[in-house]
């Protein structure tokens, strides 16, 4: 997760179709409500209640409403509906742990059952460093990003880390939670799998070019087989990643 205390003006982008309120099926009819998704058990843990970041966290958001809402956004972005041909992981619980640590946040599985029970570790030191006017927005953005890691696939452990992080930030971007320093045009200077917002904007481009549900198809492809770059991209989008990236760079240069 990248820091959010830069003051650069973000690129203005429309909210992607994958996060609009009403989702329509292929025949034009409204899709079933995402309320049918299974809801994980959500836990919240503070390792130091006297820490400044803990106090800021509690004064900036309402966990009892934000956490279920963030889970719903992630489920909707990656799967739309539990019975529409996409296979959501059977995540049964997510524990958000706010504690003093370096960095921003990370997600891991609990040793007892890492596939079904997840932990998100969120740095209270980072929370304390966020500018006051951005605290609630940034805290929610980090939580949404990390929750994606609780629900996405990784090509049986072989997908590039940049793609995994890029999908997480693509969901964050679509949720309207981009930090002010994110810019679409800056991504063209990087490699396609540079990760985070750089790859997120590339994925947004693919969603716009190939149609709503493109990133969901990529995520489903990461579920069904071991990631191998050429067959993965050509099998799903009909073009090698080098060509797709060059097309993106040309359009945004």
């Amino acid at each position: 997760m990248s820091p959010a205390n830069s003051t650069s003006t973000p690129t203005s982008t429309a909210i992607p179709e994958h996060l609009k309120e009403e989702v329509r099926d292929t025949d034009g009819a409204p899709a079933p409500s995402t309320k049918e998704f299974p809801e994980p058990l959500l836990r919240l843990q503070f390792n130091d209640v006297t820490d400044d970041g803990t106090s800021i966290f509690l004064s900036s958001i309402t966990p009892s409403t934000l956490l279920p809402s963030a889970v719903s956004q992630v489920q909707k972005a990656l799967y739309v509906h539990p019975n529409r041909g996409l296979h959501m992981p059977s995540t049964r619980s997510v524990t958000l742990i706010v504690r003093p640590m370096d960095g921003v946040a990370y997600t891991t599985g609990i040793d007892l059952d890492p596939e079904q029970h997840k932990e998100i570790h969120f740095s209270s030191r980072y929370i304390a460093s966020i500018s006051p006017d951005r605290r609630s927005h940034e805290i929610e953005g980090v939580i949404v990003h990390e929750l994606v890691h609780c629900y996405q696939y990784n090509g049986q452990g072989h997908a590039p880390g940049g793609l995994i992080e890029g999908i997480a930030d693509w969901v964050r971007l679509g949720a309207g939670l981009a930090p002010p320093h994110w810019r679409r045009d800056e991504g063209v200077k990087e490699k396609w799998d540079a990760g985070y917002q750089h790859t997120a904007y590339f994925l947004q481009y693919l969603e716009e070019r190939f149609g709503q549900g493109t990133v969901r198809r990529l995520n489903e492809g990461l579920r069904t087989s071991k990631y191998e770059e050429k067959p993965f991209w050509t099998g799903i989008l009909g073009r090698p990643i080098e060509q797709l990236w060059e097309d993106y760079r040309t359009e945004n240069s």
Side-chain angles (χ1 to χ4, degrees), residues 200-236:
Y201 281 117
F202 175 52
L203 293 170
Q204 184 186 65
Y205 159 79
L206 295 178
E207 186 87 358
E208 294 165 354
R209 177 176 174 180
F210 293 98
Q212 181 183 352
T214 296
V215 178
R216 295 187 193 110
R217 289 164 55 204
L218 296 175
N219 182 60
E220 180 68 6
L222 293 173
R223 179 189 72 85
T224 56
S225 59
K226 176 182 174 181
Y227 178 87
E228 295 181 24
E229 186 169 277
K230 185 174 182 179
F232 177 79
W233 293 99
T234 56
I236 296 174

Side-chain angles (χ1 to χ4, degrees), residues 48-95:
D48 185 353
V49 296
T50 66
D51 187 87
D52 289 344
T54 298
S55 300
I56 291 170
F57 180 92
L58 289 171
S59 64
S60 300
I61 67 165
T62 304
S64 61
T65 56
L66 187 149
L67 292 177
S69 174
V71 168
S72 178
Q73 287 187 82
V74 169
Q75 292 172 332
K76 181 179 179 180
L78 294 179
Y79 301 99
V80 182
H81 186 267
N83 299 315
R84 296 183 66 200
L86 302 176
H87 303 79
M88 191 175 74
S90 56
T91 302
R92 294 176 57 191
S93 75
V94 179
T95 302

